[in-house]
């Protein structure tokens, strides 16, 4: 799938990756030893601080423990962190196939994820890493989607104007943030829709309407000549 005049930038969580399963979550819950109804709201309440890189992973989980009124040892915090980390590593094969097709077509790609800096190594050095030319991790940049500054940083780092970037994210607010600086956005709802969208950006797809218009014009001309005769 060749899109030679664009850089396609992908979000990671719940676009390339699949959501943590119930079994994944149960492991975290059992290690935490607290009511799941209390755990997950606290998990998300301060996640932006971790993803922005303003706190580290140990502090993030220690803050959750404090807010829940429990105490976890450093070893237990590591266990909880690892169980959560693993739960985000599974990827959707159908989306991986799209990445493979883009790479085979010579399309330049990048990853832009709201994630803690601990994910940087997993992104770059797992098999997934071979699919991308550039990586942008919010926790490393101290910036966060959907703030315009993170998209501006990506465009500058890629060395291209914003209108040459295509950004894929499952969260509409993040896509709108990208569009605010001139990036073309697509809200991810499924692999089939994503493939259709990207195939519509290929040169062959762009040429099709012109070809159809020419064919229609020729047909109209022929019909007109036939009527005159």
């Amino acid at each position: 799938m060749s899109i030679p005049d664009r850089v396609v930038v992908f979000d990671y969580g719940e676009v390339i990756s699949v959501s943590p399963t119930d079994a994944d979550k149960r492991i975290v819950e059992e290690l935490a030893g607290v009511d799941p109804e209390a755990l997950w709201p606290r998990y998300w309440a301060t996640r932006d601080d971790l993803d922005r890189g303003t706190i580290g992973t140990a502090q993030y989980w220690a803050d959750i423990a404090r807010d829940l009124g429990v105490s976890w040892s450093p070893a237990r915090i590591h266990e909880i962190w690892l169980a959560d980390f693993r739960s985000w590593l599974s990827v959707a094969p159908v989306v991986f196939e799209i990445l493979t097709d883009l790479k085979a077509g010579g399309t330049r790609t990048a990853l832009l994820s709201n994630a803690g800096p601990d994910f940087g190594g997993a992104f770059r050095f797992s098999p997934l890493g071979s699919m991308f030319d550039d990586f942008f991790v919010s926790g490393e940049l101290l910036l966060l989607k959907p703030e315009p500054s993170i998209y501006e940083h990506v465009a500058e780092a890629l060395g291209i104007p914003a209108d040459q970037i295509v950004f894929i994210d499952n969260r509409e607010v993040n896509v709108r943030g990208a569009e605010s600086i001139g990036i073309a956005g697509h809200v991810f709802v499924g692999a089939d829709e994503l493939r259709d969208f990207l195939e519509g950006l290929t040169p062959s797809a762009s040429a099709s309407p012109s070809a159809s218009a020419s064919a229609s014009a020729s047909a109209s001309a022929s019909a007109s000549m036939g009527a005159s005769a």
Side-chain angles (χ1 to χ4, degrees), residues 4-200:
D5 58 340
R6 303 285 189 96
V7 178
V8 183
V9 180
F10 282 80
D11 174 39
Y12 176 75
E14 298 178 318
V15 175
I16 298 169
S17 78
V18 297
S19 301
T21 65
D22 289 342
D24 291 328
K25 292 179 180 178
R26 278 196 298 272
I27 295 171
V28 175
E29 292 162 4
E30 290 170 4
L31 289 167
V34 297
D35 181 358
E37 296 297 323
L39 172 62
W40 296 112
R42 295 311 308 155
Y43 174 94
W44 289 112
T46 57
R47 194 75 179 188
D48 281 356
D49 293 333
L50 176 64
D51 290 348
R52 192 189 292 276
T54 55
I55 60 173
T57 52
Q59 187 62 54
Y60 167 73
W61 287 105
D63 288 349
I64 292 174
R66 180 201 62 215
D67 293 343
L68 294 173
V70 298
S71 178
W72 296 322
S73 70
R76 178 50 55 97
I77 284 176
H78 185 87
E79 287 182 289
I80 297 170
W81 163 79
L82 183 57
D84 179 59
F85 187 81
R86 285 173 174 161
S87 75
W88 288 101
L89 296 183
S90 296
V91 301
V94 287
V95 178
F96 206 108
E97 289 170 3
I98 292 173
L99 292 169
T100 301
D101 290 345
L102 288 168
K103 184 175 179 64
T107 302
R108 189 177 172 191
T109 57
L111 183 72
L112 169 60
S113 178
N114 274 359
D118 50 327
F119 276 89
F123 292 152
R124 291 180 175 90
F125 303 116
S126 68
L128 176 68
S130 65
M131 296 292 106
F132 296 104
D133 301 295
D134 295 277
F135 300 85
F136 303 96
V137 181
S138 63
E140 296 175 348
L141 301 175
L142 308 184
L143 301 170
L144 199 69
K145 295 180 294 183
E147 298 163 1
S149 56
I150 195 168
Y151 307 107
E152 291 166 353
H153 174 88
V154 169
E156 182 178 356
L158 293 175
I160 58 174
D163 62 7
Q164 290 182 13
I165 298 174
V166 178
F167 178 58
I168 316 298
D169 199 297
N170 65 311
R171 296 186 63 195
E172 184 172 357
V173 65
N174 290 341
V175 172
R176 300 299 169 241
E179 290 174 340
S180 73
I181 72 160
I183 291 172
H186 173 78
V187 179
F188 178 84
V189 294
D192 291 342
E193 293 83 356
L194 175 57
R195 182 175 287 278
D196 288 344
F197 170 74
L198 293 173
E199 287 180 345

